[in-house]
Amino acid sequence: MPRADFSWPDAREPDPLDETWQQSVDLFFTDQPESGAPAAVPGTASAAHAAGPTPVSYGPDRQPSPSSPSPYEPAPTPPFPMPGLVQQPLPVRQPSPAPVPPSPHAPAQLSPYEEPAARTGAVPVLGAPHHSGPKPPLYAPEPRELPSVREDPTAALTPDMVVDGAGYDTLTVRAASVRGDSHRYQGEPRQDSLAVVRLGAPGPDGLLLLAVADGVGSAPRSHVGSQEACRLAAMELDAVSADLAEAVRAGDRPGFAALVDTAVGRIATLLAHRAREHGDDPAAYATTLRALLVPLDPRVRTRGFLAVGDGGTALLRAGEWNLSLTDPEHEGDGMIDTRTAALPHVHRARALLLAPALPGDVLVLCTDGLSTPLAGDAEMREFLASGWGRGAAPAPADFLWQLQYRVKSYDDDRTAVVLWEAVP
């Protein structure tokens, strides 16, 4: 194959492309000027532009001749339009038709997710959370001091509050966790954690895991313990999710309890191992754990429950609260009990199968930051019943605001995962 010659042409030889380009320039500028445009006069700048840029001539030493402009000087700016471009007429913008006022009898066209308030000029503001009694608590109802990264990165990276949710057919979930007033004031981390997780293979045989964990206040690393407890619960319960789903479907309480005990034992062991890996005493990770296992099959109305330590599980049905659904011995008066079982010391859980849910039921799983004031304050029960018992779940931001209802002297972290059963 002959070798291709890629050598540059001798600059002393005329380039045929120059002649082609010059012809296109001459052809363009010999057109008649538009009406109203001044004609070019020889010797003026317009004539110079019309003649096109003067080509630079090079001598034998490849230097520009004295009669030519320097190749390093800026070339004269050609008039618009540029040579070689076809000028397109600018589009004429038609005036918009005058808006037609809607008929007063025509129904408003709103999307399924849009409220009429969104159409108004004012932006809705929820403001500070409501409170019981004539005066709010002394603490400000907003994030305050933050933990230091240098002292504890895991504490510093724990958000002041989180909000979550899910929706499956007839099931709607809202979840939120808020750092308590006392922890905000002291610059301490939120010790509560939550999980809203789907378990099992895709399809109706799957389960929803709804979990809350409350780090024991006296344990210095309990914020890590509660996070790890939720994570490990998701992993260990997912490993036996098919057997758990079958036990719930069949109403097999002994089988369900045996599966839960095995999983909780592994959670406790792994949590203690995590502590030792980081050079910590396992007791420093002490945390409670409370969870619901909800079948995604709408025909299965039974819900599985497990708990290690304190907290609350409440049922709101037809506007009435049942606060002793899973803890009859703690129906209580709202007093705080500091004696509680906790992971990783405890390796077994209380396991129950809850009675079939009814359409319209609202099932509340929470830490004692909510269960204790809920049991002791009638105004709080009335407020949450009015917000959560209307048949439809609130928007996530509204749920977070409602959960922050304030009761004086109750300043602990507050976490809740709430399940709405749809009304057909």
Side-chain angles (χ1 to χ4, degrees):
M1 178 182 295
R3 184 175 179 180
D5 185 9
F6 292 105
S7 60
W8 290 101
D10 192 342
R12 291 171 296 184
E13 299 294 331
D15 190 342
L17 292 178
D18 288 342
E19 182 179 356
T20 304
W21 179 84
Q22 188 63 48
Q23 290 175 356
S24 65
V25 172
D26 294 339
L27 178 64
F28 182 85
F29 284 105
T30 54
D31 292 343
Q32 295 298 322
E34 298 180 6
S35 61
V41 179
T44 64
S46 298
H49 284 306
T54 304
V56 179
S57 61
Y58 287 85
D61 57 352
R62 303 183 61 81
Q63 296 295 325
S65 65
S67 62
S68 303
S70 169
Y72 302 105
E73 293 179 357
T77 304
F80 180 83
M82 295 288 289
L85 299 179
V86 179
Q87 184 178 11
Q88 299 292 338
L90 296 176
V92 179
R93 185 172 183 177
Q94 300 296 331
S96 302
V100 179
S103 169
H105 304 290
Q109 300 297 318
L110 300 177
S111 73
Y113 304 103
E114 185 177 7
E115 295 293 337
R119 297 280 190 174
T120 65
V123 177
V125 177
L126 294 173
H130 287 194
H131 60 84
S132 292
K135 294 182 180 181
L138 294 178
Y139 294 116
E142 58 190 24
R144 306 294 289 182
E145 295 290 334
L146 296 173
S148 169
V149 173
R150 292 189 179 185
E151 293 178 3
D152 186 348
T154 57
L157 293 171
T158 300
D160 178 90
M161 63 182 74
V162 297
V163 63
D164 204 353
Y168 285 92
D169 196 17
T170 61
L171 306 173
T172 303
V173 179
R174 296 289 181 262
S177 183
V178 181
R179 187 165 58 134
D181 290 339
S182 60
H183 287 160
R184 286 172 168 174
Y185 182 78
Q186 298 291 342
E188 297 171 343
R190 175 172 51 86
Q191 296 173 332
D192 281 8
S193 298
L194 62 79
V196 178
V197 183
R198 190 193 186 286
L199 305 181
D205 292 334
L207 294 170
L208 275 182
L209 168 65
L210 313 179
V212 297
D214 183 359
V216 175
S218 59
R221 303 281 288 165
S222 65
H223 56 286
V224 180
S226 66
Q227 296 171 27
E228 281 295 294
C230 288
R231 186 184 70 85
L232 291 170
M235 303 300 292
E236 295 303 320
L237 293 172
D238 180 70
V240 291
S241 61
D243 294 333
L244 287 168
E246 180 57 33
V248 173
R249 181 183 293 107
D252 180 7
R253 184 179 181 278
F256 177 78
L259 290 167
V260 165
D261 271 347
T262 301
V264 168
R266 286 185 53 80
I267 293 169
T269 300
L270 292 171
L271 186 59
H273 180 66
R274 161 72 190 268
R276 294 190 183 98
E277 275 186 330
H278 290 78
D280 294 322
D281 181 354
Y285 283 42
T287 181
T288 68
L289 178 65
R290 182 167 289 240
L292 286 171
L293 290 166
V294 184
L296 293 178
D297 186 345
R299 298 169 297 178
V300 181
R301 310 296 295 172
T302 303
R303 279 70 179 106
F305 168 80
L306 65 95
V308 178
D310 59 15
T313 313
L315 174 65
L316 179 62
R317 176 178 287 174
E320 297 293 330
W321 285 103
N322 177 359
L323 304 180
S324 57
L325 186 67
T326 60
D327 306 87
E329 69 277 15
H330 300 303
E331 186 171 2
D333 54 4
M335 297 298 293
I336 298 176
D337 183 3
T338 59
R339 299 169 300 173
T340 184
L343 298 165
H345 177 68
V346 174
H347 284 238
R348 301 190 64 183
R350 290 189 299 117
L352 302 171
L353 293 180
L354 305 184
L358 301 180
D361 279 357
V362 181
L363 195 55
V364 180
L365 187 77
C366 59
T367 62
D368 60 5
L370 176 63
S371 64
T372 305
L374 190 65
D377 191 88
E379 291 184 49
M380 182 185 217
R381 292 195 296 274
E382 181 180 353
F383 175 83
L384 293 181
S386 66
W388 298 351
R390 297 181 177 180
D398 293 327
F399 175 80
L400 174 64
W401 180 81
Q402 293 163 359
L403 180 66
Q404 296 179 80
Y405 182 93
R406 312 185 74 205
V407 181
K408 195 171 183 178
S409 79
Y410 295 99
D411 55 7
D412 195 9
D413 296 346
R414 182 177 295 175
T415 302
V417 183
V418 182
L419 174 70
W420 276 262
E421 307 276 355
V423 178

